[in-house]
Amino acid sequence: EEVVYHQSAAMSGRLPPKRDSVKASRLSTQLQKRRDAARQRQRDARRDLTDHARSLAFGAEDSGSEASATRAVGDQDAMHRSSSNPQELALEHPGTSSTEAWLDVAQMGRESRHERSPRHRRSSSAPGKWSRESVARFSESQFMLPEWMVDVPPDLGHAWFATPRPKGQRVLVISSRGCTVSRLKNGRVLHRFPSALPGGSQRTKHGKAEDSFCILDCVFHQEDGVYYVMDCMAWNGMSMYDCTAEMRLSWLYSKLGDPETAECEAATGTGPNNRYRFAVPPTHNCDASGLRAAYGSPFPFRRDGIQFLAKDGNYELGVTPLAVMWKDPNTSDFFLDENPDGSDTQRVVLSLQSATGDVVTGDPTPIALARLPAHFLESAGRAAESAPAGDDSLGRDGTWRGNGGLRDGLLLRFAVGKSGLQIQDGLPVAADLVYEGIANQRRGGADTMTKILFQYYARREPITIEEIGMAVETQAREAAMAASSGSSASSVSIARSSQSFSGIPNGLFDF
């Protein structure tokens, strides 16, 4: 018999507030505060991910000369100075343990240079020949992970880009030492091939030097065998993690954009030295015309939503509020998470905090949605301990095999009950959860707060393209009024409306 577990009053110190309406819950100041805080971290702190990029490109045993490392940093500094919109370097968001592990490896490699002969050459390991330990450390936190759109940013119309996301597998494409490898979120190799990217083959025209490498954030579109490049983290040995999105995308288009004018034109076609074609999906300023183009224009690929990217955002490792994903049935085949039974019941995966019994989201600062009763933890712990287990607690399919009971961080799967979520100021404070079992432990982590909210709204009152468009137009009018009056525009909430916004013709969004 299924048992529904609600968040207890003892968990929050008071009874949860009455559930807000879906419409009112979106008028949140907390979500915008999170975006402002992310920008402030970038302005106040500094980071240097050059060694992180080199560890991805060359592996942990990189023993190149100190001069080459210094040259790479110098090239990066020069690139920042040449940017039309220079930004302060940003400190990586805390809480991404796999990223810290990679930086630790890079630090050990850097210290080892002083202990070896200056004439010692690097290991000949190509980017596709990582050790099992390196693959295990690799995770989806090596990517910038967008949040899901559960409110419309008040500066969306002038401070963000809109890019249609191709349908396919998201991969990290790494080229170095004459080889190109694409890695999935779990670190496993999708393809190993020659490419015309710097360092991507023995005959590449760009970046033949031994320390040349590229790291690209791509989506592999299987239907036509094209790697669509969504972002650029390193090019020809220069780290671009700390460049703004405006700079990174401008750089990317100059290298791989228009095949007739692209600097690396050989990578935009196929041939013996470039097995897969690289292309850059169109990116638009998120004004009315740009939003119309991102939503309604024909594309050579099947879409899986629209990605919104803050122009001043750096490439953050892990979840960031400065990148936002949005979908509807017209832009994605996966608007709602699929269920094996074909139902539209929302299911969530949460992480267990064994000391308290709380089940929390996968955010850098986790949000507790419920507390499991003590008697349930005891019975489930005994069941887990009695389950057959090998040397490892995980099976090959990622299922939990016991060996120690319910450990801290164990991923559990729940269905959202009829009472749904209790939302206050745009954030969930409690949930009606039905326990269904232990989730696949290799999925990467628990669901984030915005993913849970997006799927929750999608089943009730989703954010529509009309709502986004009206917000963009309202922001444009406010900016025009502020410019004409010479005063700054005040922040106002955008009310929902069923009307089409004037920047897009009526009927364009009819399904």
Side-chain angles (χ1 to χ4, degrees):
E1 181 181 1
E2 292 183 334
V3 180
V4 179
Y5 297 106
H6 299 269
Q7 176 173 333
S8 65
M11 182 176 179
S12 60
R14 56 180 175 79
L15 290 175
K18 185 177 180 180
R19 178 181 177 272
D20 295 336
S21 68
V22 173
K23 183 187 302 185
S25 67
R26 295 223 191 109
L27 303 180
S28 168
T29 59
Q30 295 298 323
L31 297 172
Q32 181 58 28
K33 287 180 179 178
R34 296 171 70 249
R35 288 187 285 265
D36 293 339
R39 288 187 168 100
Q40 190 63 42
R41 284 194 298 271
Q42 291 185 173
R43 290 191 292 266
D44 292 347
R46 297 181 63 87
R47 68 176 183 176
D48 184 0
L49 291 183
T50 301
D51 286 319
H52 173 74
R54 295 177 68 84
S55 69
L56 287 176
F58 301 124
E61 295 183 357
D62 177 16
S63 57
S65 66
E66 190 74 25
S68 64
T70 303
R71 183 172 63 254
V73 175
D75 290 341
Q76 178 181 329
D77 292 340
M79 182 169 54
H80 278 289
R81 289 193 297 270
S82 65
S83 172
S84 60
N85 185 21
Q87 301 287 328
E88 289 287 332
L89 301 179
L91 182 65
E92 175 190 344
H93 196 291
T96 54
S97 57
S98 59
T99 299
E100 294 171 355
W102 273 104
L103 294 175
D104 290 342
V105 170
Q107 177 67 21
M108 289 187 293
R110 184 168 64 251
E111 292 173 352
S112 66
R113 297 187 188 117
H114 299 283
E115 302 173 1
R116 303 187 183 190
S117 169
R119 302 181 63 181
H120 182 82
R121 296 180 63 83
R122 292 189 190 90
S123 167
S124 61
S125 61
K129 299 179 180 179
W130 287 0
S131 66
R132 291 184 179 180
E133 292 75 13
S134 296
V135 173
R137 282 193 300 268
F138 192 97
S139 71
E140 65 176 5
S141 63
Q142 301 300 322
F143 297 82
M144 180 170 65
L145 304 177
E147 293 190 346
W148 290 81
M149 180 173 282
V150 294
D151 76 325
V152 180
D155 57 353
L156 183 69
H158 67 274
W160 294 68
F161 291 122
T163 304
R165 184 195 185 279
K167 176 184 177 182
Q169 295 173 294
R170 191 176 182 185
V171 295
L172 211 62
V173 173
I174 305 170
S175 63
S176 69
R177 295 175 178 162
C179 181
T180 305
V181 170
S182 58
R183 290 190 177 275
L184 301 168
K185 290 182 179 180
N186 60 8
R188 297 191 179 277
V189 173
L190 177 63
H191 296 135
R192 184 180 291 111
F193 57 99
S195 76
L197 299 174
S201 72
Q202 298 296 334
R203 297 184 179 181
T204 180
K205 295 181 180 179
H206 303 275
K208 292 184 178 180
E210 187 180 356
D211 59 353
S212 294
F213 63 91
C214 278
I215 304 175
L216 304 176
D217 185 345
C218 301
V219 173
F220 180 67
H221 194 252
Q222 189 171 0
E223 284 80 352
D224 53 9
V226 175
Y227 278 97
Y228 285 96
V229 187
M230 303 298 293
D231 218 320
C232 178
M233 293 89 87
W235 183 271
N236 201 11
M238 295 186 296
S239 173
M240 303 184 70
Y241 284 92
D242 296 309
C243 295
T244 64
E246 194 167 21
M247 170 62 192
R248 297 195 311 272
L249 295 181
S250 175
W251 185 275
L252 186 59
Y253 273 94
S254 70
K255 305 300 180 184
L256 297 171
D258 187 347
E260 297 182 358
T261 60
E263 181 178 327
C264 193
E265 74 286 350
T268 62
T270 57
N273 299 321
N274 195 73
R275 185 176 302 168
Y276 296 98
R277 185 167 67 91
F278 290 86
V280 183
T283 295
H284 307 276
N285 289 315
C286 196
D287 51 19
S289 61
L291 188 60
R292 177 173 63 240
Y295 186 88
S297 297
F299 300 102
F301 51 80
R302 296 180 65 185
R303 288 178 298 172
D304 188 24
I306 298 177
Q307 177 175 285
F308 297 92
L309 202 60
K311 296 179 180 180
D312 59 347
N314 296 344
Y315 193 97
E316 293 288 338
L317 301 180
V319 180
T320 174
L322 299 183
V324 177
M325 178 61 66
W326 175 86
K327 297 180 181 181
D328 73 353
N330 195 44
T331 60
S332 176
D333 296 333
F334 310 104
F335 175 50
L336 298 180
D337 287 344
E338 294 182 346
N339 291 316
D341 58 3
S343 69
D344 62 354
T345 301
Q346 182 180 0
R347 286 176 168 83
V348 299
V349 174
L350 301 173
S351 177
L352 174 66
Q353 291 184 345
S354 58
T356 61
D358 295 346
V359 284
V360 300
T361 64
D363 298 281
T365 302
I367 299 175
L369 295 184
R371 171 170 292 177
L372 302 182
H375 67 83
F376 168 79
L377 293 174
E378 293 175 1
S379 61
R382 287 194 298 268
E385 289 176 350
S386 61
D391 295 335
D392 192 352
S393 297
L394 294 181
R396 291 186 176 181
D397 60 353
T399 56
W400 178 247
R401 300 166 62 184
N403 195 21
L406 296 179
R407 62 171 173 81
D408 193 59
L410 187 67
L411 300 179
L412 305 177
R413 185 177 66 255
F414 299 87
V416 177
K418 294 181 180 180
S419 298
L421 305 179
Q422 295 185 13
I423 302 172
Q424 184 178 21
D425 197 16
L427 302 178
V429 296
D432 178 4
L433 300 178
V434 181
Y435 175 74
E436 293 192 337
I438 297 176
N440 189 315
Q441 303 301 299
R442 299 193 189 278
R443 70 188 304 276
D447 291 335
T448 61
M449 176 267 295
T450 56
K451 179 181 179 181
I452 294 172
L453 283 177
F454 183 88
Q455 289 293 319
Y456 182 74
Y457 291 146
R459 289 165 169 81
R460 291 162 176 80
E461 195 176 2
I463 294 181
T464 64
I465 191 65
E466 288 84 5
E467 180 178 351
I468 300 173
M470 288 191 65
V472 166
E473 282 208 331
T474 301
Q475 294 167 16
R477 287 195 298 268
E478 291 177 351
M481 292 175 59
S484 62
S485 63
S487 60
S488 60
S490 59
S491 175
V492 297
S493 299
I494 307 300
R496 293 179 58 87
S497 173
S498 60
Q499 302 175 356
S500 298
F501 68 100
S502 60
I504 296 181
N506 291 328
L508 182 59
F509 303 111
D510 294 340
F511 305 134

